Amino acid sequence: MPSVTPDPSAATNPSLGKSARRRLLWSYGLGDIGTGMAATQLGFYLFVFYTGVVGLPAWMAGLVLMVLKVWDGINDPLVGWLSDHTKHPWGPRLPWMAGSAIPLGLALVAMWWVPPGSDWQKFALLVLIQLVAMALYTCVNLPYSALASELTGSTQLRTELNASRFTGSILAGLAGLVLGALLVGQGAPGYLRMGWVSGLLLTVFTLLCCWGLAPFARTCQRPKGQPEPLGRQLRRLAANPLFLKVLGLYLLLWCALQLMQPVSLIFLAVVMHLPESWSTWILIPFQLSALVGLQLWSRVAGRHGRICALRWGTGLWIAGCLAAMLLIPMDSSAAPLATASNSLGLALLVLTIVVIGLGASTAYLIPWALLPDAIDADPDQPAGLYTAWMVVTQKLGIGVAVFALGNVLSWSGYQASEGLVQPGSALTTIRLCMGLIPAVLIAAGLLVMRRWPEKGLHRRPASPSP
């Protein structure tokens, strides 16, 4: 990466030189590689790890994750407030990222350890590990997320920054799925090896991101307000209608996505009768299509506006969810490609996954591309505060979705035991969690965004900061 010394106003000036712009986009994209890999592995594998390897019942596995989201509701706003008021030559965000990178890498390893003892002893140890890991994750990811609103005032460049961010995240998630496919079949030792690799990559790429962004972060937009109590913070958020819309959209889309992620492996094995050795690999088309979707919706947003991109993308996502409800299971007595009917079923399954990935990429890109509008509407522009509540919303959505999934699966009669024939109620519940329920949540997100004041904002250049 070439060494660039940007103009003092470069971070907020849309007429950034090509080399400086390239460094800005590449460096910001590196910052979500480690956390993106970790988030993908946690989203797809953690629930299965807790139930299938640690041996917790489904409701208890969901409870672990729900407890963590309550904790995130405390530490996310705290870290957002602290980073808003951090004074440092590197700016308020990078010290948090750089200082937490190594501890978080080690914590990620511990998350894939199988503790000894009874179910409740395992539960207590897992909660303790997760409390530490998620606090450190917040210290890296929340200040990083806030930077997208502060590095530039250009609507289009902000969208490109988020596209770069989630391109790195999804590529890393793809690598994480491949790594998981190679290792999780080894049982507990394989999960632990996966943790070591993802922890090391998170540390390295977070530090590289800090180095690349350092010249820009020193001169970028800073929060203008003074410290204020929690009650006043909440009143500030409640008085910002643009933020409430973005918050509602983000919560609904991420509830849909995080409901689908942990149940997808169960859906492939139990409903579609796909062999376990195929299940993880068949998720790779989702990551690839989501990567294509990021580039597609970024371009659509640049030409037609972010809300237009949201509508087109979520329309595809809803179509894919409904298609998943109608897929016919394959013949489990034959290999996936052994018969014409199985081959056709596999092709339709992959096509459905690709459509879902294309649409679901809007959940990554569009809410974060809209958030700077809400921050700019606040005279004090406390990006850390607004970003904190966006992240809290995402994590609460994950927690509620996984907790609900664990309980609903338990009530439906589902048992996490390989080769066990599941009752019809469990099969129906799994299909609903992959199809109808996410589709309703996505449609509700579109309703929330009615009358968003886009009005060609994507075509307006930003004025340089004073």
Side-chain angles (χ1 to χ4, degrees):
M1 190 178 294
S3 177
V4 178
T5 303
D7 178 279
S9 65
T12 52
N13 193 332
S15 59
L16 211 60
K18 286 186 178 180
S19 59
R21 186 186 183 96
R22 190 181 305 116
R23 173 170 178 164
L24 177 63
L25 291 172
W26 275 90
S27 299
Y28 194 71
L30 292 177
D32 215 25
I33 287 180
T35 51
M37 175 179 284
T40 299
Q41 290 173 339
L42 295 174
F44 281 109
Y45 295 121
L46 192 60
F47 187 80
V48 176
F49 173 72
Y50 282 170
T51 56
V53 179
V54 177
L56 295 181
W59 69 268
M60 190 176 283
L63 184 59
V64 174
L65 301 178
M66 185 63 187
V67 168
L68 293 178
K69 303 318 164 187
V70 175
W71 163 240
D72 282 331
I74 299 171
N75 76 69
D76 284 351
L78 177 61
V79 172
W81 181 86
L82 290 172
S83 68
D84 271 345
H85 299 95
T86 295
K87 308 297 181 184
H88 195 278
W90 294 354
R93 315 299 178 190
L94 295 191
W96 287 88
M97 295 170 59
S100 304
I102 294 175
L104 177 56
L106 295 173
L108 282 178
V109 180
M111 290 175 73
W112 299 104
W113 169 64
V114 179
S118 66
D119 284 351
W120 281 108
Q121 288 172 326
K122 292 176 181 178
F123 173 85
L125 286 171
L126 289 173
V127 166
L128 180 61
I129 292 169
Q130 291 275 13
L131 289 176
V132 174
M134 289 299 101
L136 290 167
Y137 188 96
T138 298
C139 291
V140 170
N141 194 248
L142 194 149
Y144 167 77
S145 300
L147 279 169
S149 301
E150 298 174 333
L151 289 168
T152 178
S154 165
T155 298
Q156 180 57 26
L157 185 51
R158 284 169 168 175
T159 302
E160 290 177 16
L161 281 170
N162 281 294
S164 179
R165 168 190 178 179
F166 290 114
T167 296
S169 177
I170 290 177
L171 281 172
L174 175 61
L177 282 179
V178 172
L179 183 65
L182 295 172
L183 294 178
V184 298
Q186 302 172 15
Y191 279 98
L192 195 60
R193 292 187 187 100
M194 182 175 71
W196 276 109
V197 174
S198 60
L200 176 62
L201 291 176
L202 183 144
T203 298
V204 170
F205 282 107
T206 299
L207 294 176
L208 283 174
C209 170
C210 291
W211 172 79
L213 292 180
F216 305 97
R218 292 191 190 103
T219 59
C220 70
Q221 174 182 293
R222 305 291 175 87
K224 301 172 185 176
Q226 299 299 316
E228 57 187 14
L230 177 62
R232 190 176 299 169
Q233 293 179 32
L234 294 176
R235 287 193 293 273
R236 176 193 292 273
L237 298 172
N240 190 331
L242 294 184
F243 179 68
L244 295 180
K245 281 180 174 288
V246 176
L247 196 65
L249 173 70
Y250 197 46
L251 174 62
L252 290 163
L253 294 189
W254 272 87
C255 276
L257 185 60
Q258 294 302 323
L259 182 63
M260 297 178 74
Q261 276 192 345
V263 82
S264 59
L265 290 172
I266 301 172
F267 173 78
L268 292 173
V270 174
V271 176
M272 297 304 299
H273 300 158
L274 198 67
E276 186 178 353
S277 59
W278 284 66
S279 294
T280 300
W281 293 103
I282 211 71
L283 293 175
I284 290 176
F286 172 85
Q287 297 293 109
L288 291 173
S289 60
L291 182 63
V292 173
L294 279 177
Q295 313 310 316
L296 172 64
W297 305 130
S298 178
R299 293 191 177 188
V300 171
R303 293 183 180 181
H304 304 289
R306 295 159 295 177
I307 300 303
C308 182
L310 175 69
R311 288 171 181 157
W312 292 359
T314 51
L316 276 179
W317 191 359
I318 290 171
C321 289
L322 297 179
M325 292 278 295
L326 304 175
L327 290 173
I328 299 174
M330 290 181 283
D331 181 0
S332 58
S333 64
L337 297 175
T339 65
S341 60
N342 272 8
S343 298
L344 177 60
L346 183 63
L348 292 174
L349 174 62
V350 172
L351 177 61
T352 301
I353 291 171
V354 168
V355 170
I356 291 174
L358 280 172
S361 60
T362 55
Y364 295 90
L365 178 64
I366 301 301
W368 286 106
L370 295 170
L371 177 62
D373 291 14
I375 295 173
D376 288 344
D378 187 318
D380 293 334
Q381 299 177 322
L385 173 66
Y386 284 101
T387 304
W389 284 99
M390 280 283 282
V391 174
V392 167
T393 298
Q394 177 196 19
K395 291 179 179 178
L396 285 175
I398 294 171
V400 169
V402 177
F403 178 66
L405 173 64
N407 281 279
V408 168
L409 287 178
S410 293
W411 293 335
S412 70
Y414 171 77
Q415 296 182 34
S417 180
E418 187 176 351
L420 185 68
V421 176
Q422 303 293 340
S425 57
L427 299 178
T428 300
T429 299
I430 293 167
R431 280 191 180 270
L432 288 172
C433 291
M434 278 295 294
L436 183 61
I437 298 174
V440 170
L441 292 171
I442 298 161
L446 285 175
L447 290 176
V448 167
M449 296 308 293
R450 288 180 304 169
R451 294 186 291 275
W452 178 269
E454 184 86 340
K455 297 180 181 177
L457 185 62
H458 59 292
R459 298 186 180 277
R460 300 179 192 169
S463 300
S465 291

